[in-house]
Amino acid sequence: YVILYALVTLSPIEVCDSSSYDDMYATLVTKGKSPDLDDFRNALNLLQSLYICLGVTCNQVGVPLFAKDNPNSSISDCVDPPDKINLVGYTPTSDAMLQSALVDLDVR
């Protein structure tokens, strides 16, 4: 089922970052086997770095169950970006600027 879920999830990721798409495709689909912990950790870190582009937050996604049950799993904590991101030297006063910056992602 990993390959099926990966194929469904990877399309929006390609819109956000094609190199992350390539890495995750190679790890989750091309290998043709179940990912080991290192593969999963790398894929999860890549996915978490794209949450803002995908329009989700760490709170919405949550923590993987095996990481919650096993504090030694070495899965890094997900951290949402700050509310106000500096965009080319300009710090907006609301999140409307961030939404405007993300508007053209589907045009690539």
Side-chain angles (χ1 to χ4, degrees):
Y1 293 105
V2 172
I3 293 174
L4 179 62
Y5 288 124
L7 291 173
V8 170
T9 307
L10 288 175
S11 296
I13 289 172
E14 186 175 25
V15 172
C16 292
D17 183 0
S18 61
S19 67
S20 292
Y21 168 84
D22 292 339
D23 292 343
M24 290 181 76
Y25 188 89
T27 299
L28 300 174
V29 177
T30 306
K31 274 190 171 179
K33 66 172 184 74
S34 294
D36 60 18
L37 182 60
D38 286 335
D39 292 336
F40 183 76
R41 181 180 27 246
N42 293 337
L44 183 62
N45 287 336
L46 273 174
L47 185 61
Q48 288 175 344
S49 72
L50 298 171
Y51 279 178
I52 192 167
C53 176
L54 296 170
V56 297
T57 65
C58 295
N59 287 335
Q60 291 171 325
V61 174
V63 178
L65 290 177
F66 78 89
K68 188 183 292 186
D69 296 337
N70 183 4
N72 297 326
S73 66
S74 68
I75 299 293
S76 58
D77 290 337
C78 182
V79 178
D80 285 323
D83 291 336
K84 310 240 180 333
I85 296 176
N86 186 325
L87 300 168
V88 193
Y90 173 74
T91 303
T93 57
S94 73
D95 69 343
M97 183 66 176
L98 177 60
Q99 295 304 318
S100 297
L102 296 175
V103 128
D104 290 331
L105 286 174
D106 60 341
V107 178
R108 287 187 189 179

